[in-house]
């Protein structure tokens, strides 16, 4: 892992595979409240194919939160998107970029589309949503943001457990993911929840996405249901839709080979 200083934070990042320069790059953006560790299988499988860059978003994994959020600026997902662009520049990534965002990483990908669409060439939306939160969903996030300091991240892991996995997913995979959540910084969890609660509805923009796009979902995803993701794919011109069998929300760790194969095809497209 390398470390890059970006706007007051130290961002830790896997940077492996093809050398610097204009080789194709796969930029993997993790979900909430996880880290680049969720991509371990994809990194191992795809590093022979292209350069693979997988950051820990601000505050997660081995990255620091830096001076964010500040008292007078509401946290938004734009912060993570701006960090990704700074990372692309710092790492001198000059070739085509395939941006793959999982769940919260997909929300960040939509922020990239709004703010920095010239900085990536292909898009993978994995187990994510285009809609904004309902009032009820937003209220739950605000509650967690307010209380996570007292609760601790282990409680967040337990709260999330029932919605993350297909029921037959092996215990070892479940435990490894929950362990990452339980080790997350409460302050990073709070900031991310506030940022997700403030995200806009991206549905009206789907029809404008003019990049080769993969939309992938676990068949038993309870957070970003297959029907909803199928509609996302239908709204993006030419998008490919893949439903992965025997996977819930955490498709990249539950069925890593299927997810890697789909990403490989997109990078090669
Ligand atoms: C994630 O996996 O990133 C989260 O479940 C997304 C969310 O809370 O909406």
């Amino acid at each position: 892992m390398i470390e890059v200083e970006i706007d007051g934070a130290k961002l830790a990042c896997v940077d492996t595979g093809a050398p610097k320069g204009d080789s194709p790059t796969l930029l993997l953006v993790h979900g909430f409240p996880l880290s680049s560790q969720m991509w371990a299988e994809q990194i191992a499988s795809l590093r022979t194919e292209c350069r693979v860059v997988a950051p820990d978003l601000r505050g997660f994994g081995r990255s620091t939160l830096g001076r964010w959020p500040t008292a007078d600026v509401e946290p938004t997902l734009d912060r993570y998107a701006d960090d990704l662009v700074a990372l692309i520049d710092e790492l001198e990534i000059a070739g085509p970029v395939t941006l793959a965002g999982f769940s919260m990483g997909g929300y960040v990908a939509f922020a990239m589309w709004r703010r920095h669409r010239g900085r990536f060439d292909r898009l993978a939306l994995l187990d994510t949503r285009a809609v904004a939160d309902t009032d009820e969903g937003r209220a739950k996030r605000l509650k967690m943001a307010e209380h996570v300091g007292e609760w601790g991240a282990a409680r967040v892991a337990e709260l999330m457990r029932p919605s993350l996995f297909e029921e037959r997913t092996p215990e070892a995979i479940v435990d490894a993911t929950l362990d990452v959540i339980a080790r997350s910084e409460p302050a990073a969890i709070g900031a991310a929840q506030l940022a997700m609660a403030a995200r806009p509805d991206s549905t009206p923009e789907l029809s404008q996405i003019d990049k080769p796009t993969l939309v992938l979902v676990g068949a038993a995803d309870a957070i970003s249901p297959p029907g909803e993701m199928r509609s996302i794919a239908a709204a993006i011109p030419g998008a490919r839709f893949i439903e992965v069998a025997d996977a819930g929300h955490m498709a990249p760790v539950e069925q890593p080979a299927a997810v890697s194969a789909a990403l490989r095809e997109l990078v090669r497209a």
Side-chain angles (χ1 to χ4, degrees):
M1 255 185 149
I2 57 161
E3 229 176 48
V4 179
E5 182 97 29
I6 291 175
D7 206 3
K10 282 197 176 68
L11 292 198
C13 181
V14 174
D15 182 8
T16 184
K20 282 189 175 188
D22 56 7
S23 48
T25 296
L26 175 61
L27 178 57
L28 296 167
V29 187
H30 65 78
F32 166 87
L34 297 164
S35 74
S36 57
Q37 198 177 315
M38 67 162 284
W39 301 114
E41 298 282 347
Q42 284 73 37
I43 293 166
S45 158
L46 296 168
R47 64 189 297 278
T48 51
E49 187 76 34
C50 58
R51 185 173 179 183
V52 183
V53 172
D56 288 344
L57 294 175
R58 190 174 277 260
F60 293 106
R62 296 187 196 174
S63 293
T64 63
L65 199 50
R67 296 180 298 274
W68 183 76
T70 56
D72 49 348
V73 180
E74 290 288 312
T76 71
L77 295 164
D78 295 348
R79 173 71 269 174
Y80 302 122
D82 293 354
D83 284 346
L84 291 183
V85 169
L87 192 65
I88 289 171
D89 289 338
E90 279 289 326
L91 299 182
E92 297 171 16
I93 294 172
V97 173
T98 298
L99 172 66
F102 165 80
S103 200
M104 181 178 77
Y107 310 157
V108 176
F110 285 127
M112 284 285 284
W113 168 257
R114 274 188 284 279
R115 294 168 74 77
H116 308 293
R117 66 187 64 173
R119 305 306 301 269
F120 65 97
D121 305 274
R122 292 166 199 164
L123 176 64
L125 298 168
L126 312 180
D127 300 278
T128 192
R129 310 187 73 193
V131 291
D133 285 338
T134 59
D135 288 345
E136 190 192 347
R138 197 171 294 117
K140 280 190 188 162
R141 292 197 195 280
L142 300 185
K143 183 173 174 194
M144 186 182 286
E146 190 181 341
H147 295 289
V148 65
E150 322 136 33
W151 294 353
R155 174 149 168 205
V156 174
E158 282 317 309
L159 286 172
M160 292 185 74
R161 177 197 284 266
S163 45
L164 292 180
F165 300 95
E166 206 264 357
E167 58 188 14
R168 286 160 300 177
T169 296
E171 230 15 65
I173 292 176
V174 173
D175 288 348
T177 300
L178 294 180
D179 185 54
V180 173
I181 298 176
R183 283 187 285 112
S184 296
E185 278 297 324
I189 292 176
Q193 284 288 39
L194 294 177
M196 286 191 283
R199 76 188 192 281
D201 182 8
S202 296
T203 313
E205 300 184 54
L206 297 176
S207 63
Q208 297 157 32
I209 296 178
D210 56 358
K211 302 178 191 281
T213 299
L214 164 71
V215 177
L216 179 148
V217 66
D221 189 334
I223 294 178
S224 34
E228 201 175 302
M229 290 217 71
R230 190 181 287 278
S231 304
I232 294 176
I236 300 174
R240 178 163 187 225
F241 177 69
I242 297 181
E243 190 172 304
V244 178
D246 301 324
H249 185 60
M250 293 300 308
V253 297
E254 295 177 275
Q255 296 300 335
V259 173
S260 294
L263 289 173
R264 179 178 289 109
E265 270 191 43
L266 181 66
V267 170
R268 282 184 185 167

